[in-house]
Short mmCIF file of all heavy atoms in Angstrom, two decimals:
data_model
loop_
_atom_site.label_atom_id
_atom_site.label_comp_id
_atom_site.label_asym_id
_atom_site.label_seq_id
_atom_site.Cartn_x
_atom_site.Cartn_y
_atom_site.Cartn_z
N PRO Z 9 23.83 22.38 12.86
CA PRO Z 9 23.90 23.33 14.07
C PRO Z 9 22.69 23.50 14.88
O PRO Z 9 22.65 23.76 16.01
CB PRO Z 9 24.26 24.69 13.34
CG PRO Z 9 24.81 24.33 11.99
CD PRO Z 9 24.19 23.00 11.63
N ARG Z 10 21.47 23.22 14.26
CA ARG Z 10 20.26 23.43 15.01
C ARG Z 10 19.92 22.12 15.77
O ARG Z 10 18.84 22.09 16.35
CB ARG Z 10 19.06 23.67 14.13
CG ARG Z 10 19.35 25.17 13.39
CD ARG Z 10 18.23 25.32 12.49
NE ARG Z 10 16.93 25.36 13.09
CZ ARG Z 10 15.70 25.27 12.37
NH1 ARG Z 10 15.71 25.25 11.16
NH2 ARG Z 10 14.60 25.29 13.09
N ALA Z 11 20.75 21.17 15.96
CA ALA Z 11 20.41 19.90 16.54
C ALA Z 11 20.19 20.17 17.91
O ALA Z 11 19.36 19.38 18.69
CB ALA Z 11 21.63 18.95 16.46
N GLN Z 12 20.79 21.17 18.64
CA GLN Z 12 20.48 21.34 20.05
C GLN Z 12 19.10 21.80 20.34
O GLN Z 12 18.66 21.86 21.51
CB GLN Z 12 21.44 22.41 20.68
CG GLN Z 12 21.62 23.72 19.95
CD GLN Z 12 22.74 23.81 18.85
OE1 GLN Z 12 22.91 22.62 18.40
NE2 GLN Z 12 23.10 24.90 18.51
N GLU Z 13 18.37 22.09 19.29
CA GLU Z 13 16.96 22.55 19.35
C GLU Z 13 15.98 21.37 19.73
O GLU Z 13 14.78 21.52 20.12
CB GLU Z 13 16.39 23.32 18.15
CG GLU Z 13 17.09 24.62 17.96
CD GLU Z 13 16.52 25.26 16.71
OE1 GLU Z 13 15.49 24.92 16.16
OE2 GLU Z 13 17.12 26.21 16.20
N CYS Z 14 16.49 20.15 19.61
CA CYS Z 14 15.66 18.94 19.93
C CYS Z 14 15.20 18.91 21.38
O CYS Z 14 16.05 19.33 22.27
CB CYS Z 14 16.47 17.73 19.67
SG CYS Z 14 16.40 17.23 17.97
N VAL Z 15 14.02 18.79 21.59
CA VAL Z 15 13.48 18.83 23.05
C VAL Z 15 13.89 17.60 23.79
O VAL Z 15 14.30 17.62 24.92
CB VAL Z 15 11.92 19.09 23.06
CG1 VAL Z 15 11.45 19.09 24.36
CG2 VAL Z 15 11.64 20.40 22.24
N GLU Z 16 13.54 16.37 23.16
CA GLU Z 16 13.76 15.21 23.83
C GLU Z 16 14.68 14.28 22.92
O GLU Z 16 14.26 14.02 21.85
CB GLU Z 16 12.47 14.43 24.14
CG GLU Z 16 11.56 15.24 24.99
CD GLU Z 16 10.15 14.50 25.06
OE1 GLU Z 16 10.14 13.29 25.06
OE2 GLU Z 16 9.19 15.13 25.10
N PRO Z 17 15.75 13.61 23.31
CA PRO Z 17 16.46 12.82 22.60
C PRO Z 17 15.66 11.36 22.56
O PRO Z 17 15.31 11.01 23.62
CB PRO Z 17 17.83 12.64 23.30
CG PRO Z 17 17.66 13.33 24.61
CD PRO Z 17 16.50 14.03 24.65
N LYS Z 18 15.50 10.92 21.39
CA LYS Z 18 14.62 9.72 21.14
C LYS Z 18 15.47 8.55 20.65
O LYS Z 18 15.17 7.41 20.97
CB LYS Z 18 13.54 10.01 20.38
CG LYS Z 18 12.59 11.04 20.89
CD LYS Z 18 11.77 10.47 22.03
CE LYS Z 18 10.70 11.46 22.55
NZ LYS Z 18 10.13 11.02 23.76
N ILE Z 19 16.29 8.75 19.81
CA ILE Z 19 16.89 7.65 19.23
C ILE Z 19 18.47 7.68 19.47
O ILE Z 19 19.09 8.67 19.24
CB ILE Z 19 16.65 7.57 17.59
CG1 ILE Z 19 15.18 7.49 17.40
CG2 ILE Z 19 17.51 6.62 16.94
CD1 ILE Z 19 14.75 7.49 15.94
N PHE Z 20 18.95 6.52 19.85
CA PHE Z 20 20.39 6.35 20.14
C PHE Z 20 20.84 7.38 21.28
O PHE Z 20 22.00 7.60 21.28
CB PHE Z 20 21.28 6.67 18.84
CG PHE Z 20 20.86 5.80 17.68
CD1 PHE Z 20 20.42 6.28 16.54
CD2 PHE Z 20 20.99 4.34 17.71
CE1 PHE Z 20 20.18 5.41 15.46
CE2 PHE Z 20 20.65 3.62 16.68
CZ PHE Z 20 20.26 4.12 15.57
N GLY Z 21 19.93 7.87 22.04
CA GLY Z 21 20.32 8.77 23.12
C GLY Z 21 20.70 10.22 22.71
O GLY Z 21 21.07 10.92 23.45
N VAL Z 22 20.69 10.43 21.36
CA VAL Z 22 20.97 11.85 20.86
C VAL Z 22 19.91 12.20 19.89
O VAL Z 22 19.04 11.53 19.48
CB VAL Z 22 22.33 11.83 20.03
CG1 VAL Z 22 23.42 11.45 21.07
CG2 VAL Z 22 22.23 11.01 18.99
N CYS Z 23 19.74 13.56 19.56
CA CYS Z 23 18.91 13.98 18.50
C CYS Z 23 19.59 13.57 17.22
O CYS Z 23 20.64 14.04 16.85
CB CYS Z 23 18.80 15.44 18.55
SG CYS Z 23 17.79 16.02 20.04
N SER Z 24 18.89 12.58 16.60
CA SER Z 24 19.58 12.01 15.39
C SER Z 24 19.16 12.85 14.15
O SER Z 24 18.23 12.50 13.41
CB SER Z 24 19.26 10.68 15.15
OG SER Z 24 17.80 10.48 15.11
N LEU Z 25 19.63 14.09 14.07
CA LEU Z 25 19.42 15.06 13.07
C LEU Z 25 20.52 15.15 12.20
O LEU Z 25 21.70 15.18 12.62
CB LEU Z 25 19.05 16.41 13.62
CG LEU Z 25 17.77 16.29 14.59
CD1 LEU Z 25 17.90 17.30 15.58
CD2 LEU Z 25 16.51 16.21 13.73
N GLY Z 26 20.36 15.24 10.96
CA GLY Z 26 21.39 15.28 10.01
C GLY Z 26 21.58 13.97 9.15
O GLY Z 26 20.47 13.34 8.81
N LEU Z 27 22.64 13.50 9.04
CA LEU Z 27 22.93 12.32 8.30
C LEU Z 27 23.63 11.17 9.14
O LEU Z 27 24.60 11.40 9.78
CB LEU Z 27 23.79 12.69 7.04
CG LEU Z 27 24.31 11.60 6.10
CD1 LEU Z 27 23.12 11.00 5.42
CD2 LEU Z 27 25.25 12.11 5.12
N ILE Z 28 23.00 10.04 9.21
CA ILE Z 28 23.50 8.95 9.77
C ILE Z 28 23.71 7.81 8.79
O ILE Z 28 22.70 7.43 8.07
CB ILE Z 28 22.70 8.41 10.96
CG1 ILE Z 28 22.42 9.49 12.01
CG2 ILE Z 28 23.27 7.26 11.58
CD1 ILE Z 28 21.42 9.08 13.08
N VAL Z 29 24.89 7.30 8.57
CA VAL Z 29 25.12 6.19 7.74
C VAL Z 29 25.76 4.98 8.37
O VAL Z 29 26.75 5.22 9.09
CB VAL Z 29 26.12 6.73 6.43
CG1 VAL Z 29 26.30 5.67 5.50
CG2 VAL Z 29 25.55 7.91 5.80
N PHE Z 30 25.14 3.94 8.26
CA PHE Z 30 25.75 2.62 8.81
C PHE Z 30 26.26 1.80 7.58
O PHE Z 30 25.60 1.76 6.76
CB PHE Z 30 24.56 1.86 9.51
CG PHE Z 30 24.07 2.47 10.76
CD1 PHE Z 30 22.80 3.34 10.50
CD2 PHE Z 30 24.51 2.50 11.92
CE1 PHE Z 30 22.31 3.85 11.59
CE2 PHE Z 30 23.93 3.05 13.02
CZ PHE Z 30 22.82 3.75 12.82
N MET Z 31 27.46 1.42 7.75
CA MET Z 31 28.02 0.62 6.70
C MET Z 31 28.67 -0.52 7.27
O MET Z 31 29.03 -0.60 8.37
CB MET Z 31 29.22 1.31 5.95
CG MET Z 31 28.58 2.63 5.16
SD MET Z 31 29.92 3.47 4.30
CE MET Z 31 30.60 4.52 5.72
N PHE Z 32 28.65 -1.70 6.59
CA PHE Z 32 29.21 -2.96 6.96
C PHE Z 32 30.62 -2.92 6.85
O PHE Z 32 31.27 -2.19 5.97
CB PHE Z 32 28.63 -4.15 6.26
CG PHE Z 32 27.18 -4.45 6.64
CD1 PHE Z 32 26.12 -3.72 5.82
CD2 PHE Z 32 26.83 -5.12 7.74
CE1 PHE Z 32 24.87 -3.98 6.18
CE2 PHE Z 32 25.53 -5.28 8.09
CZ PHE Z 32 24.52 -4.73 7.42
N GLN Z 33 31.44 -3.70 7.59
CA GLN Z 33 32.89 -3.77 7.59
C GLN Z 33 33.20 -4.19 6.14
O GLN Z 33 32.57 -5.20 5.67
CB GLN Z 33 33.43 -4.63 8.67
CG GLN Z 33 33.17 -4.05 10.07
CD GLN Z 33 34.00 -2.74 10.28
OE1 GLN Z 33 35.08 -2.64 9.66
NE2 GLN Z 33 33.47 -1.94 11.17
#
Side-chain angles (χ1 to χ4, degrees):
R10 294 180 58 196
Q12 54 270 22
E13 293 179 13
C14 280
V15 178
E16 300 175 38
K18 295 291 184 183
I19 296 181
F20 306 118
V22 296
C23 288
S24 58
L25 301 154
L27 175 65
I28 300 174
V29 180
F30 296 94
M31 293 179 279
F32 291 95
Q33 294 293 332

